Amino acid sequence: MTTRSLSFTMLALGLTLAFGLGLAGCAVTDPRATDRAPGALPAYAAPDRITDEAIRGDHRAMLGLRERLAMLNQNGRVATGNAHWAKAQCWLDMAQQNYHENDRSRVIEEALAESQALVDALEKGTAPNDRTPPVGNSVRLREDLWTRVAKVKASPAAACVAAQAACLEVQLVWAGHEYAEGGWRHANPYIGIAEHKADAMDRGATACAAPAVAAAPVAPIVREVLIERLVLTTDTLFDFDRGSVNDIRAAGRARLDVLAERAKGLQGIERIALVGHTDRLGSAEHNQPLSLQRATAVRDHLVARGLPAALFTVEGKGSEQPVKRCEDNQPRARLIACLQDNRRVEVEIRGRVAAPAR
């Protein structure tokens, strides 16, 4: 069961994204460990960032940058592998997701400003700035990953993975913002994505730098791997006690659209598993069908956006697998808000990867 819309986390792509990967070796320069109350704006949101005009202005800016990036790519004028084009797109992705999460801090306009500066330079044919500043209230996390980016950028293979390195830097800034906003629970999935991007970047750099030598063919080992895991907060997608595809809110549709585009860009996908969950309020006879209905609605929307229906499996777990416990001795509205994390649709994207036999 659900209540009013909250944030878009993550996806977006809330999207709380969850890779479930560890944060060992993290370095934090400005630790904040408190989580925001459901539905609350960030404590550092400026009053002028929550006006209707500011919200409309952000939306216009995102649409304009999206169109300008597409025009730059027309006829191969600027390739998607260009580091500055890719970084502009990744800054825009960060702004869009935080916009749909209703984060009204300065992170949206600052991420958009970074994207726009890169687009301006590309359109004029001038050398773009290679900076990656800490937008919003981002704190610096994972010095080990920053070091890996710097090492690759200084290597002979830099040109091969320039776009990947650029977006990894943006992802680390994004993770730092999520940490500042909500602590490790918010930052963990974004750090997981950064680790995934860093591994892919290193693999690409290694392949680029490797000398071309004739090697005896070896039989590949093919195994299924988890490509990406996301958690969609159903309060963002649906109104209270609603669950059909026609009930998905506009903000929820936007987030699912981002997820569909992201999935189309991933290689080797063989299966997308959707599992719906509810909170413990209400009867099992009501909650189990509702959880299945919502997972099915997510599938139907993604299929309508071009993903093959055969990729999907859909399941409803009702209230059997809560991720948060809340005391009953509190007002019902507060209890419903406390239980929000349990109302979710989990998304697992899996594929098969071939590696040489050893």
Side-chain angles (χ1 to χ4, degrees), residues 174-240:
W174 193 344
H177 173 72
E178 293 298 324
Y179 176 81
E181 179 182 281
W184 290 126
R185 184 173 68 86
H186 282 267
N188 184 39
Y190 294 84
I191 286 291
I193 294 174
E195 291 175 335
H196 180 76
K197 288 179 179 291
D199 290 343
M201 175 191 70
D202 287 345
R203 288 194 299 270
T206 299
C208 180
V213 294
V218 295
I221 298 174
V222 180
R223 59 190 179 91
E224 183 177 90
V225 297
L226 177 64
I227 297 176
E228 191 162 335
R229 185 174 187 274
L230 316 165
V231 177
L232 306 176
T233 304
T234 58
D235 294 44
T236 302
L237 303 177
F238 301 96
D239 286 325
F240 181 80

Side-chain angles (χ1 to χ4, degrees), residues 18-315:
F19 270 76
L21 300 176
L23 290 170
C26 297
V28 183
T29 60
D30 182 17
R32 307 174 191 181
T34 57
D35 288 342
R36 266 197 288 138
L41 292 167
Y44 43 83
D48 60 352
R49 296 297 304 135
I50 60 177
T51 65
D52 290 343
E53 182 53 34
I55 294 171
R56 287 193 294 268
D58 288 339
H59 188 255
R60 289 193 298 269
M62 288 186 290
L63 290 177
L65 283 171
R66 187 188 308 168
E67 180 65 22
R68 291 168 67 187
L69 282 163
M71 292 301 296
L72 281 168
N73 187 240
Q74 288 285 351
N75 301 317
R77 177 183 170 189
V78 177
T80 56
N82 178 283
H84 299 110
W85 189 96
K87 182 176 279 191
Q89 181 65 65
C90 290
W91 280 124
L92 177 57
D93 290 345
M94 179 178 177
Q96 286 178 317
Q97 183 165 322
N98 280 280
Y99 175 87
H100 290 301
E101 288 174 0
N102 198 30
D103 184 335
R104 302 312 305 164
S105 72
R106 65 181 183 271
V107 67
I108 298 173
E109 61 182 334
E110 291 185 2
L112 288 175
E114 293 301 321
S115 180
Q116 180 171 322
L118 292 167
V119 171
D120 287 345
L122 290 170
E123 289 175 339
K124 295 174 183 177
T126 58
N129 194 312
D130 194 39
R131 66 180 186 175
T132 310
V135 302
N137 282 269
S138 180
V139 298
R140 192 171 175 95
L141 305 176
R142 293 302 295 267
E143 286 297 335
D144 60 313
L145 296 181
W146 284 105
T147 299
R148 285 167 68 178
V149 177
K151 182 179 178 181
V152 165
K153 290 173 69 174
S155 74
C160 296
V161 290
Q164 292 168 287
C167 282
L168 174 54
E169 290 180 331
V170 174
Q171 184 65 40
L172 287 168
V173 172
W174 193 344
H177 173 72
E178 293 298 324
Y179 176 81
E181 179 182 281
W184 290 126
R185 184 173 68 86
H186 282 267
N188 184 39
Y190 294 84
I191 286 291
I193 294 174
E195 291 175 335
H196 180 76
K197 288 179 179 291
D199 290 343
M201 175 191 70
D202 287 345
R203 288 194 299 270
T206 299
C208 180
V213 294
V218 295
I221 298 174
V222 180
R223 59 190 179 91
E224 183 177 90
V225 297
L226 177 64
I227 297 176
E228 191 162 335
R229 185 174 187 274
L230 316 165
V231 177
L232 306 176
T233 304
T234 58
D235 294 44
T236 302
L237 303 177
F238 301 96
D239 286 325
F240 181 80
D241 210 29
R242 298 284 185 175
S244 75
V245 68
N246 293 326
D247 294 325
I248 300 176
R249 294 176 169 178
R253 292 179 185 277
R255 183 175 181 190
L256 293 177
D257 290 348
V258 171
L259 172 58
E261 291 306 310
R262 184 188 297 262
K264 290 176 187 177
L266 296 174
Q267 300 296 317
I269 294 179
E270 290 198 348
R271 180 162 60 93
I272 301 177
L274 303 174
V275 182
H277 302 268
T278 69
D279 61 28
R280 59 182 168 78
L281 302 178
S283 67
E285 290 75 12
H286 179 80
N287 288 340
Q288 198 285 327
L290 179 61
S291 65
L292 177 61
Q293 183 186 30
R294 287 181 162 177
T296 302
V298 170
R299 178 202 63 190
D300 292 347
H301 184 88
L302 295 176
V303 168
R305 290 301 180 271
L307 293 174
L311 285 178
F312 291 90
T313 62
V314 179
E315 187 177 2

